[in-house]
Amino acid sequence: MTQAIQKTLRDSAAMRWTALLLLAMAMFCSYIFMDILSPIKDLMQETRGWDSTAFGTMQGSEVFLNVFVFFLIFAGIILDKMGVRFTAVLSAAVMLVGACVKWYAISESFIGSGLETWFNNNLNYIPGFDELGVSPFYEGMPASAKFAACGFMIFGCGCEMAGITVSRGIVKWFKGREMALAMGSEMALARLGVATCMIFSPFFARLGGEVSVSRSVAFGVVLMCIALIMTIVYFFMDQKLDAQTGEAEEKDDPFKVSDIGKILSDSGFWIVALLCVLYYSAIFPFQKYAVNMLQCNLTLTLPDADSFWAQPDVTIIQYVIMLIVAATGFASNFQKKASSKYGLLAISIIALITYCYMGFMRQSAESIFAVFPLLAVLITPILGSYLDHHGKAATMLVLGSLLLIGCHLTFAFVLPMFKGNAVGGIIIAYATILVLGASFSLVPASLWPSVPKLVDAKVIGSAYALIFWIQNIGLWLFPLLIGKVLDATNPGVTDPTQFDYTAPLVMLASLGVAALLLGLLLKVVDKKKGIGLEEPNIKA
C-alpha cells in the first residue's frame, strides 16, 4: 500500500495565507509609522518649531544608517545567516525600539529635560560627515528633531530588514503556488498603510480639541507593538513548517564584495539602478510633504465645530469606506464571472466617489491625499497580469515616467491657479493624486521583474542589494533637499500653510524627466541587445 503523502502547513491555503497576512500586517504597520509625521508637518512647526529644513532632515534620517553605515548590506547577511523567522522578529523589535525613541523625542516629557539640553549642545558638528555635507544633524536643529532623527535611523534599519525578509518569507510559503498574487496582495496592503497614516495621524493629533503631536506617534508605537506580535506568531508557524518538512531554511547566495566589479561594469544594472533611485525619489519624499503642499495650494475652510463633518466619528466612517474601495476593487480582478467582476468594480467606484465627497465636505488635506494608493490597489493585479501575458515592461516604464512628470507639473502650476475655487481645486487634486498612484503601480510592476533579464543570474542577489542601497541614497537626500529648497524659496514665511511649493515640485518633475530619458534608453538597449523586456514573462 502506498503511504499517504503528509501535508504540510503550506499545503493548506488557509495556513499559507495566514502566514502572508501576518507578514503583510507587520509591513502595513511599518508603512504607517514611516510617514506618521507627514500629514502633521504644519503642527510640528507650530508646536515644536521645526522649519522645513529640520523636518526634511529628520525625515531623510530614516535611511541614513542604511546608506552611510551600509546596514542594508548587513541586514542581508543577517537574513542569510539567521533565516526568515529570526530576522522577521529582529526587524520588528528594532523598528519598535526606534519608534519608542522617536515618540519620546517629540513628547511633552522631552521638553525641558536634561536630554533636550544635551541634544541642544551636542551633535552640531559630526567630523567627516559635515565636511562631506551629509551629516544627519546641523547647528541650530531643534533638539527634538535631532533625537527623533536618531530614533528614525534605528527604525529605518529595522524597516529595510523587514522589507527583504517579507519577500523571502512569501517565496518560502508560496513557491510553486500563487506567488505573484501573494506578493501583489502584500504590496497592496502595505500601501494602504500610507492612506491609514494620512487619515489617523491628524485624527489623533487633534483628538479632544487639544493638539498633541505625540499622540500620533504613540498611535504608531502601538502599531509597532502589534507588528512585533505578528512576527512572533509567524516565528512559531514557520518553525512548525520546518519541523514538518525537515528542511533547513532556504537561503540565497550572500552578498559578495567580489561581485561588485562585475555588477558595476554591467550597463543594464546602471540603467535599472538609476531608474529606481530617480523614480522612488520623486514619490516617497513627496509623500512626506504632500499634505502640506495641498494645504498651501487649496482653499480649505474647516466645517463648523458643531456640524456632522467636524465630528471625530466621520474619520472612522471615511476609513471604512476607503477599505471598501480597496477590497472590492482588488477582488474584482480575480472574479471569473462578468457579473461578479463588474458588480464589485461598480461598488468600488461608488465607494470611491463617496469617499471623495466626504473628503471635500471635511475640507481635509490629509483625507484628500489618502486616495493616493487606492487606484494603485485596483490596477496592480491588472498590470501584473498584462506583463506576464503581453510584456511591454520598457514601454510601461516610459509611460509611468510621463505620468509622474505630468502629475508634479500639475501640482506645481495648474493646482495653484484654482486657489480660491473650492470645488475645482479639490477635483484637480483628487484626479492628479489618483493618476500619481497609478504611476506608482506602473513603474515598480515593470521595473522589478525586469532586473533578472538585465543582470547575470549569478549575481542577482548582490545586484538587488546594490540597487536598494542606491535607492536609499535618494530616499535620504531628497526629503532633505525639498526642505532646504522650500525654506530658501520662502524667506520670512512663518505660516506653514502659505509656502510656495513650485520649486520643490519642479525639482521632482525633473527627476521624472531624467527617468523618462533612461526609460527611452532602456528601450533602445533592449532592442539592440535583444534582452526581452518587451516580451511576456509567461511564454506560450
Side-chain angles (χ1 to χ4, degrees):
M1 182 181 292
T2 305
Q3 187 176 4
I5 298 174
Q6 181 182 0
K7 288 192 174 182
T8 64
L9 286 178
R10 66 180 163 211
D11 292 320
S12 166
M15 288 297 100
R16 64 177 177 267
W17 282 96
T18 298
L20 174 71
L21 182 62
L22 292 170
L23 292 174
M25 283 300 296
M27 291 306 297
F28 172 78
C29 293
S30 71
Y31 265 57
I32 293 174
F33 192 86
M34 192 186 302
D35 280 317
I36 200 71
L37 295 182
S38 300
I40 54 173
K41 176 182 180 291
D42 57 326
L43 299 181
M44 295 308 299
Q45 180 166 339
E46 293 171 2
T47 63
R48 295 296 183 270
W50 293 14
D51 60 12
S52 295
T53 299
F55 182 83
T57 303
M58 191 286 304
Q59 293 283 42
S61 68
E62 179 195 355
V63 296
F64 182 83
L65 295 178
N66 291 321
V67 172
F68 296 105
V69 188
F70 303 103
F71 185 83
L72 187 58
I73 305 301
F74 297 142
I77 294 172
I78 292 170
L79 176 59
D80 180 70
K81 298 298 182 184
M82 304 305 295
V84 172
R85 56 177 173 267
F86 173 86
T87 312
V89 175
L90 177 63
S91 63
V94 171
M95 286 192 289
L96 178 58
V97 170
C100 290
V101 171
K102 187 172 179 178
W103 167 76
Y104 180 70
I106 67 167
S107 69
E108 286 73 14
S109 301
F110 181 75
I111 300 173
S113 67
L115 202 55
E116 182 186 38
T117 302
W118 189 90
F119 272 93
N120 273 324
N121 297 330
N122 293 278
L123 300 181
N124 294 312
Y125 171 73
I126 310 295
F129 288 104
D130 272 273
E131 282 76 10
L132 293 172
V134 297
S135 176
F137 314 109
Y138 60 88
E139 189 169 0
M141 186 176 181
S144 58
K146 286 183 188 175
F147 195 30
C150 293
F152 212 23
M153 288 179 200
I154 298 170
F155 171 85
C157 290
C159 191
E160 288 296 329
M161 191 188 301
I164 59 177
T165 303
V166 167
S167 296
R168 179 84 68 81
I170 293 174
V171 170
K172 180 175 183 176
W173 282 79
F174 286 85
K175 191 172 184 178
R177 297 177 175 85
E178 321 93 323
M179 191 186 301
L181 176 58
M183 287 191 170
S185 300
E186 184 274 326
M187 185 183 297
L189 183 58
R191 286 181 179 172
L192 278 178
V194 177
T196 304
C197 168
M198 296 299 161
I199 287 180
F200 281 106
S201 180
F203 171 78
F204 283 107
R206 297 186 174 95
L207 191 64
E210 180 183 350
V211 172
S212 174
V213 291
S214 65
R215 275 199 301 260
S216 295
V217 186
F219 163 65
V221 171
V222 171
L223 291 176
M224 296 319 304
C225 291
I226 294 173
L228 179 58
I229 293 170
M230 293 285 186
T231 57
I232 291 173
V233 175
Y234 174 82
F235 181 97
F236 290 107
M237 282 190 67
D238 194 80
Q239 189 176 53
K240 186 174 181 180
L241 175 64
D242 281 353
Q244 289 178 334
T245 60
E247 300 172 356
E249 289 203 81
E250 184 177 342
K251 296 175 176 140
D252 292 335
D253 291 335
F255 180 86
K256 297 177 183 177
V257 176
S258 60
D259 291 338
I260 294 178
K262 186 174 183 179
I263 295 169
L264 296 183
S265 63
D266 192 318
S267 60
F269 164 80
W270 280 110
I271 294 175
V272 171
L274 292 174
L275 265 171
C276 179
V277 70
L278 288 168
Y279 186 80
Y280 280 90
S281 294
I283 292 289
F284 284 116
F286 171 71
Q287 286 180 188
K288 301 181 185 301
Y289 291 87
V291 171
N292 187 234
M293 183 275 295
L294 293 175
Q295 291 170 336
C296 296
N297 285 326
L298 293 175
T299 301
L300 300 172
T301 305
L302 293 178
D304 294 335
D306 57 350
S307 74
F308 168 77
W309 300 107
Q311 302 308 308
D313 292 347
V314 179
T315 300
I316 309 298
I317 297 170
Q318 194 175 18
Y319 186 64
V320 170
I321 293 173
M322 174 195 292
L323 294 180
I324 294 172
V325 175
T328 54
F330 188 78
S332 68
N333 291 285
F334 306 101
Q335 304 302 310
K336 294 181 179 180
K337 292 183 178 179
S339 57
S340 299
K341 179 183 181 68
Y342 292 111
L344 286 171
L345 191 59
I347 293 172
S348 182
I349 293 172
I350 293 169
L352 177 61
I353 294 171
T354 304
Y355 175 90
C356 292
Y357 172 75
M358 293 183 73
F360 169 74
M361 295 303 294
R362 293 185 66 200
Q363 294 287 287
S364 166
E366 50 268 21
S367 66
I368 291 171
F369 185 71
V371 302
F372 174 64
L374 295 185
L375 192 57
V377 171
L378 172 63
I379 69 173
T380 296
I382 299 174
L383 293 174
S385 177
Y386 187 87
L387 282 168
D388 283 340
H389 294 91
H390 302 284
K392 303 297 182 183
T395 301
M396 283 195 179
L397 287 170
V398 171
L399 178 59
S401 299
L402 284 170
L403 292 176
L404 178 70
I405 297 166
C407 288
H408 282 312
L409 291 180
T410 299
F411 285 134
F413 299 108
V414 178
L415 190 59
M417 295 170 57
F418 284 83
K419 191 162 186 177
N421 185 333
V423 177
I426 290 180
I427 290 175
I428 294 293
Y430 271 133
T432 310
I433 292 166
L434 285 168
V435 172
L436 186 64
S439 170
F440 189 35
S441 280
L442 203 61
V443 171
S446 50
L447 180 66
W448 296 116
S450 301
V451 175
K453 296 180 180 180
L454 289 161
V455 180
D456 190 333
K458 294 180 180 178
V459 295
I460 189 68
S462 301
Y464 269 122
L466 278 174
I467 289 173
F468 289 148
W469 181 73
I470 293 171
Q471 173 187 318
N472 272 240
I473 294 175
L475 300 185
W476 159 76
L477 178 63
F478 280 93
L480 186 153
L481 280 181
I482 293 172
K484 287 182 176 294
V485 170
L486 205 54
D487 279 337
T489 54
N490 292 273
V493 177
T494 57
D495 185 344
T497 63
Q498 297 300 318
F499 289 122
D500 181 354
Y501 267 86
T502 304
L505 289 167
V506 169
M507 178 178 70
L508 295 176
S510 68
L511 295 179
V513 173
L516 173 62
L517 294 175
L518 279 174
L520 293 172
L521 176 62
L522 188 61
K523 283 177 69 71
V524 172
V525 171
D526 176 55
K527 188 174 182 179
K528 184 177 180 181
K529 295 186 176 181
I531 297 171
L533 294 180
E534 297 287 83
E535 296 177 4
N537 295 322
I538 299 175
K539 305 295 183 182

